[in-house]
Amino acid sequence: MSATKPCGNCNIKHKTSELSGPQHLCKECRRNLPQEKCTFCCIEFYVTSTVNKSKPACKKCAEYYTKFGDPKNCEWCKSPSAFKGTKCFQCKTAEEKYGKPSRCEMCKNTAYFNKGLEAKKKVDNKSLCLLCTLKYKKELHRSGKFKRSSAEIIANKGSSKSRKVKAESDASTSLQCSDIEVQVDICGHGGLDDKDGHERGSTMEAILLTTQLKEEIAALRRQLDQRDRDLIEKGKEYNELRTEMWEQEKKLRKKLSDENMEHEKRVEGLQAIIMELKTNNSRLLKLTQRNSRKSAPTVLKAALIEPEPADSS
């Protein structure tokens, strides 16, 4: 009996082989749930709970962001998911399992880990890092309809030609011509296969390039939106600082005017005291002058009345 495990979203038990991805979701949940691209590790994930619309993050990156704060760019894959140290958790895990990385054929980053021939065959024997592998597989899945339609066309052509060869081979008079036509049809069929394979390869490269350009445009748009938000925040901070400076200037002006008024009051009080002192001084001078005038005649009279000294002889 095969092992069963509950789905990460609906909690209904399914076979382990039916659950996919690190979130362990069943086929029905994968079909119905929306997908978002993680801001940090750049890997798409299924949204099973409420996420931040400005910075959508997978479960693991959200935990690390809460614990360690803003991350740095990874030394190898260049994704902004190095929360602890200089390497992201995916590159650390891959290094422990597969050793040092080499250069990726698509993004040219040193982020390709050699996981063996089986893993390489799934991406047409290309040396791709994790992010480029996911992109390549996604484009292969999207171009599956093109592959099926081209295969059906080739099969229809082959069946019609085989019926023609069979009909002509029944006639004994044209046996040799039918043999030649069979050879021509076989060669033509092989040429179509080569041509169709070349077209599929060029179409895949064009699809991958288009997807990569779209992702770069989306990343640039996100950067522009982030810069716009930063400018708005800085504008708010500038307005707050300007208001605070205006309030402080208003308080300082009021304080200065109060001090000037107090200084003027003190000066006026001192001037009143000085005037009062001058008035008192002038009064005292007048009194002293009067007193001196009154005392002068009495002194003169006393001098006149003073007797002459007696003669000693």
Side-chain angles (χ1 to χ4, degrees):
M1 186 176 179
S2 60
T4 58
K5 195 174 181 180
C7 172
N9 182 50
C10 62
N11 292 324
I12 298 173
K13 288 188 176 181
H14 296 272
K15 292 181 181 179
T16 308
S17 58
E18 295 178 358
L19 301 177
S20 177
Q23 294 174 279
H24 303 292
L25 300 176
C26 62
K27 188 175 182 180
E28 190 68 23
C29 290
R30 293 198 303 271
R31 187 181 300 167
N32 297 327
L33 289 173
Q35 279 186 301
E36 287 284 350
K37 188 175 182 180
C38 181
T39 309
F40 304 109
C41 65
C42 302
I43 296 175
E44 291 186 348
F45 65 97
Y46 291 94
V47 181
T48 57
S49 59
T50 306
V51 295
N52 188 356
K53 291 184 179 180
S54 60
K55 281 187 177 181
C58 61
K59 187 177 179 181
K60 201 162 191 177
C61 288
E63 291 177 358
Y64 283 157
Y65 182 73
T66 306
K67 190 175 181 181
F68 300 107
D70 291 328
K72 300 176 183 177
N73 289 336
C74 179
E75 182 182 350
W76 289 334
C77 67
K78 308 302 180 185
S79 63
S81 55
F83 291 94
K84 191 178 180 182
T86 58
K87 301 167 190 173
C88 65
F89 57 89
Q90 293 168 352
C91 290
K92 282 182 181 178
T93 307
E95 183 186 9
E96 292 173 359
K97 286 184 180 180
Y98 308 108
K100 294 287 183 181
S102 57
R103 193 175 184 183
C104 174
E105 291 183 10
M106 188 178 293
C107 65
K108 309 303 180 184
N109 291 328
T110 309
Y112 165 67
F113 294 91
N114 189 3
K115 299 179 182 179
L117 295 175
E118 291 296 327
K120 205 169 183 179
K121 284 179 182 178
K122 294 179 181 178
V123 290
D124 298 335
N125 294 322
K126 295 181 182 294
S127 301
L128 303 179
C129 64
L130 176 61
L131 296 177
C132 294
T133 299
L134 294 174
K135 290 178 189 176
Y136 195 81
K137 287 182 178 179
K138 190 175 181 179
E139 294 306 323
L140 285 176
H141 180 71
R142 285 179 179 175
S143 61
K145 294 181 180 179
F146 172 79
K147 286 185 177 181
R148 285 195 294 272
S149 61
S150 60
E152 288 172 1
I153 292 169
I154 293 169
N156 291 333
K157 285 183 179 179
S159 61
S160 62
K161 289 176 181 178
S162 63
R163 285 196 299 270
K164 185 177 179 181
V165 171
K166 187 176 180 181
E168 290 181 355
S169 62
D170 291 339
S172 58
T173 57
S174 59
L175 181 61
Q176 187 175 0
C177 294
S178 64
D179 291 338
I180 294 169
E181 191 171 355
V182 169
Q183 292 177 2
V184 171
D185 289 339
I186 292 170
C187 294
H189 182 72
L192 285 171
D193 286 342
D194 294 339
K195 186 178 179 181
D196 190 67
H198 178 70
E199 289 178 354
R200 285 202 302 273
S202 60
T203 305
M204 279 299 302
E205 290 178 359
I207 291 170
L208 287 172
L209 182 61
T210 305
T211 306
Q212 189 173 0
L213 290 173
K214 285 181 179 179
E215 290 179 353
E216 289 177 359
I217 291 169
L220 290 172
R221 284 178 179 172
R222 285 196 296 270
Q223 289 180 3
L224 287 174
D225 293 339
Q226 184 64 36
R227 288 182 180 178
D228 290 339
R229 287 193 292 271
D230 293 341
L231 287 173
I232 291 169
E233 291 294 329
K234 288 180 180 178
K236 289 180 180 178
E237 291 178 1
Y238 172 74
N239 290 331
E240 290 175 358
L241 289 172
R242 191 174 178 181
T243 306
E244 187 178 352
M245 288 177 66
W246 184 79
E247 291 291 338
Q248 290 180 357
E249 187 177 356
K250 185 178 177 182
K251 289 178 181 178
L252 288 172
R253 284 180 179 176
K254 187 178 179 182
K255 185 179 179 181
L256 184 62
S257 64
D258 293 341
E259 288 180 354
N260 288 333
M261 289 176 66
E262 188 177 355
H263 176 70
E264 288 176 358
K265 287 179 181 179
R266 287 180 181 177
V267 170
E268 288 176 358
L270 291 172
Q271 286 178 351
I273 292 169
I274 290 169
M275 290 297 293
E276 188 177 355
L277 291 172
K278 284 182 178 180
T279 305
N280 294 332
N281 189 22
S282 63
R283 286 176 184 175
L284 289 173
L285 285 173
K286 288 178 180 179
L287 288 173
T288 53
Q289 286 177 0
R290 287 176 186 176
N291 293 330
S292 62
R293 286 175 184 174
K294 288 178 181 180
S295 61
T298 55
V299 172
L300 183 59
K301 287 179 179 180
L304 292 172
I305 296 171
E306 185 178 356
E308 292 182 1
D311 196 1
S312 57
S313 59

